[in-house]
Amino acid sequence: MTESPQRTDFSHFHPILTRPQDNDLNGHIAGATVHGFFETAIQAFLVEQAELDLREGALAGFVISSAAEFYALPAFPDVLEVGLGVTRLGGSTVEYRLALFRPGEPDACAAGTLVQVFVERASGEPVALPETLQIILAGLQLNR
């Protein structure tokens, strides 16, 4: 297990309001739900900051890899924040580093990586990231 990421590693955060159904049978946020929180933070960023039309736009982003590690066990009714960063930009691919935090806490509850490939929606073929999107995502680049 790697060391828990720190809040100071990230410059962008997306709020998450947990729901009772997010808890697993042990009373903690389910692992699959954490992956969903990570993907939600990425999609919200792409819609809000990069102004991508993820439903009907010419560009579609597909998750091809996702992994997470857990350091603490959040549960409903925790309010959480996803720290979002980029570790690699290349061609049609973006690798994100994400971390789940309770507000004000310096250490992450969970952290993960997610790799997304962008394709031309009409053909399904990978396509180089548009320059504007590269610039916006480069603004999330992590130093680690």
Side-chain angles (χ1 to χ4, degrees):
M1 184 180 276
T2 61
E3 186 177 309
S4 170
Q6 299 295 296
R7 177 177 292 278
T8 55
D9 295 340
F10 299 89
S11 62
H12 181 83
F13 294 87
H14 181 78
I16 299 287
L17 298 175
T18 61
R19 308 163 306 162
Q21 63 265 35
D22 294 335
N23 286 358
D24 62 18
L25 293 175
N26 295 311
H28 302 104
I29 301 294
T33 303
V34 170
H35 285 278
F37 292 164
F38 289 166
E39 192 167 348
T40 295
I42 291 167
Q43 302 306 339
F45 180 85
L46 293 173
V47 168
E48 296 167 3
Q49 304 296 318
E51 298 180 2
L52 289 184
D53 180 350
L54 298 175
R55 289 185 183 226
E56 298 178 16
L59 199 60
F62 293 108
V63 174
I64 62 165
S65 174
S66 181
E69 294 182 335
F70 299 88
Y71 308 102
L73 300 171
F76 173 81
D78 282 337
V79 174
L80 302 169
E81 299 170 313
V82 176
L84 174 61
V86 169
T87 55
R88 185 173 55 87
L89 283 171
S92 61
T93 305
V94 181
E95 183 176 305
Y96 300 93
R97 177 74 167 143
L98 303 115
L100 190 63
F101 296 93
R102 290 184 177 102
E105 289 191 4
D107 298 318
C109 300
T113 58
L114 187 145
V115 178
Q116 188 174 44
V117 172
F118 285 87
V119 301
E120 180 182 58
R121 187 177 305 279
S123 70
E125 293 296 318
V127 62
L129 297 172
E131 184 177 353
T132 304
L133 182 56
Q134 285 183 35
I135 292 167
I136 290 168
L137 289 170
L140 293 176
Q141 205 90 49
L142 298 175
N143 292 330
R144 297 174 159 224

